[in-house]
């Protein structure tokens, strides 16, 4: 405060040398995080120890009963399984898909700029538009996909993409992957563009194959970005609620009831906020564990590589 | 100088008193009729009331049914809830659990004396020895069919099926004729649309009670319910592929485009037909819900009502005044004509008034409206068929358990007996304390 700045000092140095200023700058963000994440989180933890049927009504403490109930509820365990499957396939498809799209968009070809501009469109569309659009496209009676497949002689009977147990999960995964892949591909494309052309030219002179160039140049350079993309893809996929809800409402029967859908149904359909809170906390702890393990491994690798 | 100050003081006091006296009692009114024509009509109704009653100002706010379960408790808790709001019997049990709903016995009594309610509209709002809302308009399921398609298929367009057996025979004939590939459209998604169709079939098959006289005794698992689900499955097999994901819009589109010839649904098909097809309204036939052998006339019927939340006595008096004004046949008819043929009168005064019948769409399809009104007398609503209501009855509708059971049969391939058994377990699970 009141210090005269040296002409060569940059902003980071000023903040580093003045901790009070640093704290003041961080304070709004800290308050925001406290208000929107920490407070609701502690509230949810608190609620999970009570039998709450309706918000606003006096409720009774029940200890760990909600946790016991949730962990023994077959529907919860099935929802965990579905969430694991949903996340695993989504993350795999999104990473592989976005990498392929990014590699293609990193090449020189006619129309590249046009595609680069428009490839992001599925991600830009509001979820409700995506859901309505795909519901109509895939409808067995009115939808264009079944119409084409039947008229091309590839199908005798229409496929019930969103109404049959066999098809509903692959279909919702496909739609979610279609939605998120462009976003991740743009991030990976940005990473690819940081790689110097000279590296590839030198490798080519040394006789490296395309695969080896990808393996020993491309992949190591974009690995940090890829790790972040994988983490984002994981967290966003596991928490997806809107797309599934708008497409299937967790059905048919409960075949697409993943953990977020299970929690929503518990809270807002069965009005069991205590149990919904307990399920949320179990889910939160599970995710926290996975993320901590992943980040520790990531940081260890970075340290070993001297990054 | 003193005189001037005195006069100025008097003027200021008078001005203050005038301002105080002119300050109208504000009534914040939440409703969930979010379609543009309904929003507009409700706004007009409130404005007209406000113009005629300068001492009261009813201020309508549009909310959405999709969010109201989360929004209402939060707003009420924060002291920013409405003074009164639109409700259904299910939603009422939810808000009542917050301790925020005021009984309206005296108001019902005075309106009953003057306008005479249709009993089925009142029943769901009476429990725990009180009336908890004032019904304003009702709605029920009827049998809609395409007369032109019936005729093309060699069927008599003026003889809709009266029994379940006749309905299945007609479906078979329609299919065999080749005029339509799928004779009927039934919703099958885990959605209110499926719940309401299933319950309609349950009522005509004498399975309307989900609870026993003891509101904690679940009697859903019984032969009548199983028969209703078996019949639903038979209809489902005649419905287009993908019906397991269908709710309100798809069957309507299928009927209006002539893809199917039959749908069972509520009265908004009249306005829907006019708004979205160029076909004559005469093509659209209407009949009561077919009944099984040994069954009873019936349908799902419920009324939307207004529930009073404010504890302020002055506001309560203003609410009573608003309702007394609203229930005049001419005003009430004007309100429920926001969707002609869909919303049905809940008082005999409106029912027998020219104001209600003197509306072009209703005039053109008098028979369809009469059928809906006649059958509202037999109408029931699940969870609200007894004098004592389970406090968690609303959760059964919110959880779409009837539709979930239907999917166990149509998607999961379970026999109706097993699916209904699972349904009873799920209801017990939802209502457990």
């Amino acid at each position: 405060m009141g210090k005269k700045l040296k002409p060569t000092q940059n902003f980071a140095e000023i903040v580093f040398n003045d901790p009070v200023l640093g704290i003041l700058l961080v304070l709004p963000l800290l308050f925001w995080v406290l208000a929107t994440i920490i407070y609701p989180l502690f509230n949810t933890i608190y609620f999970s120890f009570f039998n709450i049927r309706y918000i606003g009504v006096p409720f009774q403490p029940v200890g760990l009963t909600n946790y016991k109930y949730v962990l023994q509820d077959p529907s919860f365990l099935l929802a965990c399984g579905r969430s694991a499957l949903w996340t695993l396939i989504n993350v795999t498809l999104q990473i592989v898909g976005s990498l392929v799209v990014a590699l293609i968009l990193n090449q020189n070809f006619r129309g590249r700029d046009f595609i680069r501009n428009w490839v992001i469109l599925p991600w830009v569309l509001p979820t409700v538009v995506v859901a309505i659009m795909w519901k109509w496209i895939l409808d067995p009676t009115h939808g264009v996909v079944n119409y084409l497949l039947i008229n091309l002689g590839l199908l005798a009977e229409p496929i019930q993409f969103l109404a049959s147990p066999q098809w509903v999960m692959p279909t919702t995964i496909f739609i979610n992957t279609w939605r998120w892949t462009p976003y991740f591909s743009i991030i990976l494309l940005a990473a690819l563009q940081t790689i110097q052309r000279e590296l590839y030219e030198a490798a080519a002179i040394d006789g490296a194959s395309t695969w080896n160039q990808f393996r020993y140049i491309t992949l190591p350079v974009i690995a940090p970005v890829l790790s972040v993309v994988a983490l984002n893809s994981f967290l966003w996929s596991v928490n997806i609620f809107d797309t599934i809800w708008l497409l299937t409402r967790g059905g048919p029967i409960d075949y697409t009831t993943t953990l977020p859908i299970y929690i929503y149904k518990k809270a807002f359909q069965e009005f069991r906020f205590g149990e919904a809170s307990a399920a949320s906390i179990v889910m939160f702890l599970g995710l926290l564990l996975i993320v901590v393990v992943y980040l520790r491994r990531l940081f260890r690798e970075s340290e070993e590589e001297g990054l | 100088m003193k005189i001037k100050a005195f006069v100025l003081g008097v003027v200021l006091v008078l001005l203050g008193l005038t301002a105080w006296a002119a300050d109208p009692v504000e009534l914040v009114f939440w409703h969930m009729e979010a379609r543009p024509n309904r929003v507009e009509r409700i706004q007009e109704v409130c404005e007209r009331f406000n113009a005629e009653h300068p001492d009261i100002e009813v201020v309508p706010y549009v909310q959405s049914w999709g969010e109201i379960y989360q929004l209402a408790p939060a707003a009420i808790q924060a002291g920013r809830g409405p003074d009164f709001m639109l409700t259904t019997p299910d939603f009422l049990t939810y808000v009542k659990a917050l301790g925020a709903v005021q009984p309206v016995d005296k108001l019902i009594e005075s309106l009953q004396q003057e306008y005479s309610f249709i009993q089925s509209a009142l029943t769901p709002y009476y429990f725990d020895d009180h009336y908890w809302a004032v019904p304003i308009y009702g709605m029920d399921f009827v049998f809609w069919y395409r007369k032109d398609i019936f005729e093309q298929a060699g069927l008599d367009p003026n003889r809709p099926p009266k029994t379940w057996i006749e309905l299945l025979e007609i479906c078979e004939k329609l299919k065999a004729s080749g005029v339509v590939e799928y004779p009927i459209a039934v919703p099958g998604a885990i959605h209110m649309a499926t719940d309401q169709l299933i319950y309609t079939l349950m009522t005509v098959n004498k399975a309307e009670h989900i609870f026993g006289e003891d509101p904690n005794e679940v009697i859903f698992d019984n032969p009548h319910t199983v028969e209703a689900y078996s019949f639903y499955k038979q209809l489902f097999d005649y419905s287009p592929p993908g019906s397991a994901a269908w709710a309100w819009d798809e069957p309507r589109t299928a009927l209006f485009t002539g893809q199917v010839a039959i749908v069972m649904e509520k009265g908004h098909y009249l306005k829907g037909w006019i708004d979205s097809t160029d076909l004559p309204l005469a093509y659209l036939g209407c009949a009561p819900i077919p009944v099984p052998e040994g069954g009873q006339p019936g349908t799902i019927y419920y009324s939307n009502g207004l529930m009073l939340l404010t504890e302020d006595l002055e506001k309560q008096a203003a609410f009573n005044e608003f309702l007394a004004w609203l229930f005049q046949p001419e005003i009430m008819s004007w309100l429920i004509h926001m969707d002609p043929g869909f919303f049905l009168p809940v008082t005999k005064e409106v029912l027998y008034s020219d104001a209600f019948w003197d509306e072009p769409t209703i005039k053109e399809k008098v028979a369809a409206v009469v059928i809906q009104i006649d059958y509202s007398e037999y109408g029931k609503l699940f969870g609200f068929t007894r004098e004592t209501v389970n406090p968690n009855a609303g959760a059964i509708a919110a959880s779409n358990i009837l539709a979930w059971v239907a999917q166990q049969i149509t998607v999961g391939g379970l026999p109706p007996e097993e699916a209904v058994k699972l349904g009873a377990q799920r209801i017990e699970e939802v209502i457990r304390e």
Side-chain angles (χ1 to χ4, degrees):
Chain A
M1 295 286 184
K3 281 180 189 172
K4 197 172 179 182
L5 301 179
K6 291 176 191 170
T8 52
Q9 263 187 324
N10 62 29
F11 187 69
E13 283 170 340
I14 297 165
V15 173
F16 187 76
N17 292 329
D18 190 346
V20 176
L21 180 62
I23 289 168
L24 281 176
L25 287 170
V26 169
L27 216 53
L29 183 66
L30 199 65
F31 176 75
W32 182 248
V33 169
L34 277 170
T36 60
I37 297 177
I38 306 299
Y39 172 71
L41 178 64
F42 278 94
N43 228 7
T44 308
I45 294 170
Y46 174 74
F47 284 164
S48 70
F49 296 110
F50 291 87
N51 177 16
I52 305 173
R53 293 304 312 269
Y54 302 99
I55 295 289
V57 173
F59 38 84
Q60 303 296 320
V62 290
L64 291 170
T65 308
N66 288 333
Y67 287 94
K68 201 175 153 191
Y69 173 84
V70 161
L71 292 171
Q72 288 175 348
D73 181 8
S75 302
F76 175 77
L77 301 176
L78 282 169
C80 287
R82 284 188 211 105
S83 269
L85 182 74
W86 160 270
T87 308
L88 189 72
I89 300 177
N90 261 296
V91 171
T92 308
L93 292 179
Q94 283 170 22
I95 290 176
V96 173
S98 57
L99 189 56
V100 169
V101 172
L103 287 169
I104 292 170
L105 292 181
N106 200 34
Q107 307 303 311
N108 280 319
F109 60 90
R110 201 181 165 87
R112 184 185 70 170
D113 291 343
F114 176 81
I115 295 173
R116 276 186 182 180
N117 286 335
W118 286 99
V119 75
I120 201 82
L121 191 66
W123 182 72
V124 174
L125 288 174
T127 315
V128 70
V129 175
V130 170
I132 292 171
M133 188 180 84
W134 279 106
K135 272 175 99 165
W136 283 106
I137 288 173
L138 299 175
D139 187 274
T141 314
H142 311 106
V144 68
V145 172
N146 273 302
Y147 174 82
L148 288 175
L149 291 174
I150 290 170
N151 280 285
L152 289 170
L154 298 172
L155 281 181
E157 291 290 318
I159 296 173
Q160 301 189 32
F161 288 103
L162 294 169
S164 72
Q166 300 84 353
W167 282 96
V168 69
M169 189 56 107
T171 305
T172 43
I173 287 173
F174 165 77
I175 294 168
N176 193 54
T177 302
W178 170 85
R179 178 141 200 252
W180 285 97
T181 299
Y183 173 74
F184 292 127
S185 67
I186 294 297
I187 293 175
L188 288 177
L189 179 63
L192 286 173
Q193 287 175 340
T194 63
I195 303 172
Q196 292 170 346
R197 289 270 154 209
E198 291 79 2
L199 288 173
Y200 291 111
E201 287 163 10
I205 291 165
D206 289 344
S209 64
T210 310
W211 167 246
N212 281 337
Q213 286 180 28
F214 173 74
R215 191 176 165 190
Y216 295 109
I217 300 173
T218 310
L219 214 49
V221 174
I222 66 166
V225 177
L226 208 54
S227 303
V228 174
V229 163
L231 185 64
N232 277 349
S233 172
F234 167 75
L235 288 175
W236 290 345
S237 295
V238 80
N239 285 316
I240 284 281
F241 169 81
D242 49 2
T243 309
I244 302 177
W245 185 254
L246 290 167
L247 284 169
T248 66
R249 296 169 73 93
I253 309 180
D254 293 321
Y255 284 98
T256 51
T257 298
T258 53
L259 271 175
I261 304 281
Y262 171 90
I263 291 165
Y264 178 85
K265 284 180 175 177
K266 271 276 166 221
F268 298 112
Q269 290 193 334
E270 296 180 25
F271 308 124
R272 296 193 176 276
F273 287 91
E275 285 163 18
S277 301
S280 304
I281 297 303
V282 172
M283 183 181 172
F284 167 71
L285 291 176
L287 289 181
L288 194 67
L289 185 72
I290 294 170
V291 170
V292 166
V293 169
Y294 183 81
L295 286 179
R296 281 189 64 166
R297 199 175 154 191
L298 199 67
F299 289 139
R300 199 179 303 141
E301 280 174 6
S302 301
E303 277 170 16
E304 282 168 7
E305 287 165 14
L307 294 170
Chain B
M1 190 65 189
K2 276 184 181 175
I3 293 172
K4 275 184 184 173
F6 174 73
V7 170
L8 186 66
V10 169
V11 168
L12 285 173
V13 167
L14 282 174
L15 277 174
L17 280 174
T18 313
W20 174 77
D23 206 13
V25 178
E26 189 185 81
L27 285 176
V28 175
F29 166 36
W30 283 10
H31 71 85
M32 287 71 81
E33 298 294 2
R35 288 181 190 263
N37 51 315
R38 299 181 196 170
V39 172
E40 195 181 334
R41 179 58 54 88
I42 290 172
Q43 183 72 35
E44 287 169 356
V45 167
C46 294
E47 281 172 6
R48 183 165 160 186
F49 174 80
N50 295 343
E52 291 177 21
H53 300 78
D55 53 335
I56 302 171
E57 188 182 9
V58 178
V59 188
Y61 288 92
V62 191
Q63 307 293 353
S64 119
W65 277 117
E67 290 162 6
I68 200 68
Y69 279 80
Q70 297 87 50
L71 188 63
I76 291 167
Q77 255 198 310
R80 302 183 66 84
D83 297 308
F84 71 99
M85 71 184 296
L86 192 73
T87 189
T88 58
D90 309 330
F91 183 58
L92 172 65
T93 61
Y94 179 73
V95 181
K96 187 176 169 291
L98 305 173
V101 185
Q102 309 298 324
V104 287
D105 302 302
K106 283 185 181 171
L107 181 57
I108 291 281
E109 195 183 322
S110 72
L111 292 171
Q112 175 76 299
Q113 277 175 4
E114 197 161 355
Y115 301 111
S116 187
F117 280 105
I118 292 164
Q119 192 53 41
S120 51
L122 269 182
T123 305
Y125 291 118
Y126 183 79
F127 51 91
D128 297 346
D129 301 324
H130 290 290
Y131 286 104
W132 296 101
V134 182
I136 51 172
Y137 43 78
M139 57 205 87
D140 60 16
F141 262 50
V142 282
F143 182 91
W144 297 105
Y145 66 105
R146 288 281 298 258
K147 287 187 171 184
D148 54 327
I149 296 177
F150 267 47
E151 204 161 3
Q152 287 166 36
L155 296 165
D156 184 347
N158 297 314
R159 273 186 56 84
K162 289 182 177 163
T163 66
W164 282 7
I165 292 171
E166 282 179 21
L167 173 53
L168 292 176
E169 282 171 2
I170 281 180
C171 284
E172 199 53 51
K173 282 178 186 167
L174 282 165
K175 194 171 180 180
S177 73
V179 179
V180 282
E181 195 177 348
Y182 307 103
I184 187 168
V186 294
I190 298 183
H191 192 276
M192 194 198 288
T194 312
D195 284 343
Q196 296 196 353
L197 174 62
I198 299 279
Y199 188 68
T200 296
L201 300 177
M202 285 167 66
T203 58
V204 292
N205 201 38
K206 295 182 173 172
E208 67 268 30
H209 298 300
I210 287 178
F211 298 105
E213 291 292 349
D214 171 359
N216 293 311
E217 183 199 3
V218 177
I219 59 165
F220 178 73
D221 183 8
N222 64 67
H224 293 291
T225 308
V226 172
E227 281 167 18
Y229 273 101
S230 302
F231 183 65
Y232 169 80
K233 173 68 169 71
Q234 286 176 287
L235 296 181
F236 186 86
D237 291 341
Y238 283 114
S239 190
S243 296
W246 283 15
W248 298 123
D249 293 341
E250 296 88 348
R252 180 168 57 174
T253 306
L255 185 79
F256 289 2
T257 56
Q259 191 191 13
V260 302
I262 301 165
V263 171
M264 286 182 264
E265 238 269 43
K266 285 184 280 196
H268 57 103
Y269 273 35
L270 285 180
K271 185 163 172 26
W273 181 276
I274 293 165
D275 289 348
S276 49
T277 76
D278 295 326
L279 299 169
L281 198 50
Y283 283 5
L284 185 64
C286 181
I289 300 291
V291 176
E293 199 178 335
Q296 62 185 11
T299 180
I300 186 170
Y301 171 84
Y302 60 95
S303 54
N304 284 1
L306 296 177
M307 62 179 164
L308 180 65
L309 303 176
T310 180
E311 291 176 6
D312 184 321
L313 293 176
E314 196 181 15
K315 288 190 173 200
Q316 289 187 359
F319 173 75
N320 290 350
E321 198 169 336
F322 177 61
L323 269 284
W325 175 85
L326 186 68
F327 267 75
Q328 297 172 87
E330 181 239 334
I331 306 286
M332 185 56 85
S333 300
W334 182 45
L335 172 69
I336 61 184
H337 286 161
M338 62 185 165
D339 214 324
F342 179 25
F343 295 129
L344 307 172
V346 292
T347 65
K348 286 176 185 161
E349 282 293 315
V350 174
L351 190 57
Y352 300 136
S353 71
D354 291 340
F356 174 70
W357 295 102
D358 195 19
E359 196 280 336
T361 309
I362 292 178
K363 263 186 181 171
E364 197 178 343
K365 292 301 276 187
V366 170
V369 179
V370 168
I371 289 167
Q372 291 177 65
I373 290 170
D374 280 353
Y375 275 74
S376 66
E377 196 184 322
Y378 306 112
K380 305 278 188 317
L381 181 62
F382 48 103
F384 296 87
T385 55
R386 309 275 196 196
E387 281 199 6
T388 316
V389 169
N390 186 297
N392 300 318
I396 298 170
S399 304
N400 303 120
I401 294 178
L402 302 190
W404 181 83
V405 173
Q407 283 208 341
Q408 294 289 346
I409 299 165
T410 56
V411 178
L414 283 186
E417 294 81 2
E418 282 181 40
V420 169
K421 211 176 279 301
L422 281 180
Q425 287 168 9
R426 190 134 176 174
I427 291 172
E428 280 172 357
E429 168 68 17
V430 164
I431 63 164
R432 85 192 137 87
E433 280 306 319

